[in-house]
Amino acid sequence: MENDAPTVAWRETTPTPVQGDLDAMVVLAVRTASDALAKREGFQPFAVLLGDDRRPQLSWVDPRVSGPRPTAADLLPLLVSAAREQRGSLLGAGVVADTSIDGGDAIRVELEHRDGGPALVVVVPYRPSWVEGELSLGEQRVALGTRRVWGQPAG
């Protein structure tokens, strides 16, 4: 994964409340995705949005807006665009998709916060567990991403 080196540094330069908000968003995103993977062996990309109340919520786009068989590549820009349209009432926004990494499957969460800190990409490898309906999650990897909802911070 690209940019693994800055993983620790982002916490050193990010305000503590922003760290907590991003952590809460990742927890909800990974839990939601892993539950869907364990039950349905897949999931449609979705957004995790953090309102002014600091409570993360989930959002999906109607897949029919992208045609009869939309892919993650079709839906992710729509999720980012919807978050951008709502950014005045949001503290944080992220998109979640199923992806591949190192020859296996992974949950990918791209997120950013209005009040600072870098955009992050969190990837959690997974594989089906030997227990039916369960998933085995690997170690979370964090890298720097690209701010797409609020743009690059001044500085």
Side-chain angles (χ1 to χ4, degrees):
M1 184 169 174
E2 297 175 24
N3 299 328
D4 276 333
T7 299
V8 175
W10 82 268
R11 287 198 184 270
E12 294 170 3
T13 60
T14 303
T16 302
V18 172
Q19 291 179 41
D21 291 344
L22 294 173
D23 289 341
M25 292 170 63
V26 169
V27 167
L28 178 61
V30 171
R31 182 176 48 225
T32 301
S34 61
D35 287 351
L37 287 163
K39 292 176 186 168
R40 295 182 289 282
E41 298 179 3
F43 67 92
Q44 171 186 322
F46 61 93
V48 61
L49 306 173
L50 187 70
D52 288 326
D53 61 0
R54 287 198 142 78
R55 296 177 66 194
Q57 298 178 356
L58 304 173
S59 177
W60 286 265
V61 294
D62 184 342
R64 294 174 290 183
V65 300
S66 292
R69 301 187 138 232
T71 65
D74 298 325
L75 297 176
L76 288 170
L78 297 174
L79 290 165
V80 171
S81 179
R84 197 175 296 127
E85 289 174 11
Q86 299 175 61
R87 69 181 166 212
S89 62
L90 296 174
L91 289 175
V95 293
V96 185
D98 197 1
T99 191
S100 297
I101 186 170
D102 300 333
D105 296 314
I107 299 165
R108 179 182 175 101
V109 184
E110 297 180 37
L111 65 159
E112 62 189 276
H113 199 283
R114 176 187 74 193
D115 294 337
L120 299 176
V121 177
V122 178
V123 177
V124 180
Y126 71 84
R127 59 181 161 66
S129 174
W130 58 273
V131 176
E132 187 174 332
E134 291 188 13
L135 207 62
S136 176
L137 298 178
E139 187 172 333
Q140 176 176 296
R141 302 178 191 181
V142 181
L144 297 180
T146 302
R147 294 178 68 86
R148 298 188 289 171
V149 175
W150 285 279
Q152 295 302 325

